[in-house]
Amino acid sequence: MNDVLARLRELRSGDLPTHGGRTLAYVYDSGLSEVDEIAAAAHALASSANGLDPTAFPSLLRMENDLVARAAGLLGGTPETVGTVTSGGTESCLLAVLAARDARPDLASPSIVLPETAHAAFHKAAHLFGVRKIVVPVDPETFRADPAAMTAAIDDSTVLVVASAPSYAHGVVDPIEEIAAAASARGVRMHVDACIGGWVLPYFAKLGADLPPFDFRVPGVTSISVDLHKYAYCAKGVSVLLHASAELRRTHYFASAAWPGYTMLNPTLQSTRSGGPLAAAWAVVHHLGEDGYLQLASRTREAVGRIRAGVASIPGLRVLGEPVSTLVAFTGSDGFDLFTVADEMKARGWYVQPQFAHGTSPLNLHLTVTAANHGSEPEFLADLAASVEAARTEGSVRVDPDVAAFVAALDPETLTSEQFGGLLAAAGLTGGGGLPERMAPVNALLAVAPEALRERLLVEFLGALYTPSSE
């Protein structure tokens, strides 16, 4: 057993760090070691239990209802509010779309109305469930959804309107009240994607933050998603999808008696569900409690304020929009390359997430700030300033104009896998060897590729990564 665990530790040594606040994406670190210990112990106690049948494992049913009640209480729920624990924010968003679609079987071509900043999970839902997307431009300065444009996009085919609290890309909260009122006036469901903000914005408000209303206290909001593996600091992956009533939730349930086995009955997209993540989340939520989350929110809010102010003070950097949550995105001037800044930060032990330009949103670097960043803000900002200067010295990464023109003219629908393999090799994305040490040249090439080609290139790269080696 020790040999296996030693091998696992060796494998994990090449990963980004999940503690210490140096990975500002993907992970959410409370900075409290006992949280991990409690989560691991609770996960071990319940990992063999199966949420497929709540009558066989009533402990899981009790814990799920407990977490749903806690989330509903935090987000302005009423006694009628119900919910479902899912595997993550994407599944919660998928189920919100599925419930809305299946509630309108009379529509041959149902649609959902999204601001262009809505999470890609809703694009995935539209793809999987055959729902049309009506994507609405946002304000080019604030990056918040435009209520008038959203209202105009609602028609007789609309089954769901979506807004964010906050949007992932820029950390801003959409004008939920106006959008929900428009949806309600047309008899359409309104979903608030609060996967990131749902467990932290209510505590920010208790600490005095001036936040726009976004939860069930807003008339017209019919469902909300909130991830516990984000700012509830629970282990991956646990999310809660709340509905204003059981009637609204019913249409994402699935039942089938049309086979000779047991009658299948699922509240989520999954059938078998390990009790481990659920129990781990339940234990962490009860351990931290109201006071614990308020303290973590206070530390996070202070860290966000310091980092945002520090970023804005570095010459050549500009914070995008007016973020009110825990996410900060910033762009740069033409005097240096942001992809190089990201590489320089990684060399200094920090991971910051590049975001490609899209619509009116320029190329930027994205930060997910957690309680673990509290206290290390001066070091982070000093390294960021040094990384910007290093990028200035190195100069912008330029893609050869002929290569850029060639890439821009490619049709991803006609290229073969072999041709994609050649493009990946030229870009330094070979799969088997992982990623190159410096990603700026790769990202620069991806940035000039049309979005459809970039998607296909990265899909091919993903396929190469998930190909077992012969070693």
Side-chain angles (χ1 to χ4, degrees):
M1 180 180 73
N2 290 335
D3 289 345
V4 173
L5 293 178
R7 175 61 177 150
L8 177 57
R9 293 187 186 96
E10 180 185 349
L11 290 171
R12 286 277 288 116
S13 67
D15 294 346
L16 291 172
T18 57
H19 296 84
R22 288 187 164 266
T23 302
L24 284 90
Y26 309 125
V27 297
Y28 298 80
D29 181 13
S30 69
L32 304 174
S33 60
E34 76 270 15
V35 168
D36 285 345
E37 296 168 7
I38 289 168
H43 190 287
L45 282 171
S47 62
S48 59
N50 189 346
L52 174 62
D53 186 348
T55 66
F57 301 96
S59 66
L60 302 187
L61 177 64
R62 173 67 180 272
M63 287 187 283
E64 177 156 351
N65 282 336
D66 202 4
L67 288 177
V68 166
R70 177 65 188 270
L74 199 60
L75 294 169
T78 71
E80 287 71 43
T81 303
V82 296
T84 303
V85 171
T86 74
S87 63
T90 292
E91 188 178 16
S92 289
C93 296
L94 291 175
L95 289 173
V97 175
L98 180 62
R101 185 201 71 174
D102 283 5
R104 292 297 309 275
D106 56 305
L107 293 177
S109 183
S111 67
I112 55 176
V113 173
L114 309 169
E116 63 181 337
T117 50
H119 196 279
F122 294 99
H123 297 258
K124 185 175 186 177
H127 170 73
L128 291 175
F129 302 143
V131 176
R132 290 184 300 111
K133 299 177 296 182
I134 309 298
V135 180
V136 181
V138 299
D139 184 286
E141 296 297 325
T142 68
F143 302 103
R144 300 174 77 216
D146 180 341
M150 294 284 287
T151 300
I154 302 171
D155 61 25
D156 291 341
S157 73
T158 307
V159 296
L160 185 69
V161 177
V162 175
S164 307
S167 61
Y168 180 83
H170 307 103
V172 299
V173 175
D174 288 329
I176 305 297
E177 285 184 298
E178 297 93 325
I179 297 171
S184 180
R186 295 294 298 269
V188 175
R189 296 182 183 213
M190 166 71 187
H191 179 77
V192 176
D193 174 12
C195 287
I196 289 174
W199 209 275
V200 70
L201 291 181
Y203 290 106
F204 276 17
K206 292 177 182 181
L207 292 166
D210 183 15
L211 297 171
F214 69 91
D215 59 19
F216 286 119
R217 284 172 281 250
V218 176
V221 170
T222 58
S223 59
I224 301 174
S225 50
V226 51
D227 289 359
L228 275 64
H229 60 224
K230 291 188 169 73
Y231 288 95
Y233 294 107
C234 299
K236 307 283 186 183
V238 181
S239 175
V240 173
L241 172 61
L242 297 171
H243 286 281
S245 72
E247 185 64 28
L248 292 167
R249 178 181 61 176
R250 185 170 293 113
T251 44
H252 75 61
Y253 280 12
F254 175 80
S256 177
W259 73 304
Y262 63 93
T263 298
M264 179 176 281
L265 182 63
N266 304 140
T268 70
L269 297 177
Q270 302 177 84
S271 289
T272 289
R273 293 190 292 162
S274 169
L278 174 65
W282 181 88
V284 168
V285 167
H286 278 269
H287 169 72
L288 289 173
E290 186 76 4
D291 290 342
Y293 281 118
L294 195 63
Q295 292 171 16
L296 289 170
S298 178
R299 292 171 63 84
T300 304
R301 188 179 178 216
E302 289 178 8
V304 172
R306 293 167 185 166
I307 288 174
R308 178 183 171 182
V311 168
S313 71
I314 296 174
L317 298 185
R318 175 173 61 89
V319 173
L320 296 176
E322 292 292 332
V324 296
S325 62
T326 56
L327 310 177
V328 177
F330 59 91
T331 191
S333 66
D334 292 333
F336 57 91
D337 187 87
L338 282 176
F339 292 137
T340 301
V341 173
D343 283 346
E344 291 292 329
M345 286 296 283
K346 188 172 183 182
R348 290 165 172 79
W350 305 93
Y351 178 83
V352 297
Q353 186 177 51
Q355 294 188 139
F356 293 102
H358 177 84
T360 60
S361 181
L363 165 68
N364 64 84
L365 297 181
H366 185 275
L367 311 177
T368 300
V369 182
T370 68
N373 294 111
H374 189 273
S376 64
E377 304 94 338
E379 182 184 1
F380 172 82
L381 292 166
D383 283 342
L384 180 59
S387 296
V388 169
E389 286 308 306
R392 287 187 194 278
T393 300
E394 187 167 330
S396 298
V397 177
R398 300 293 182 188
V399 177
D400 183 278
D402 291 336
V403 173
F406 171 74
V407 168
L410 293 175
D411 180 1
E413 297 301 321
T414 61
L415 292 179
T416 65
S417 294
E418 290 74 19
Q419 290 170 320
F420 270 110
L423 283 173
L424 289 172
L429 297 172
T430 54
L435 294 172
E437 191 66 28
R438 303 284 288 189
M439 283 295 294
V442 175
N443 283 326
L445 181 59
L446 291 173
V448 302
E451 289 180 355
L453 178 62
R454 190 192 313 151
E455 289 171 354
R456 180 68 191 278
L457 278 169
L458 292 176
V459 164
E460 294 291 336
F461 175 58
L462 196 65
L465 286 178
Y466 284 104
T467 300
S469 67
S470 58
E471 297 179 4

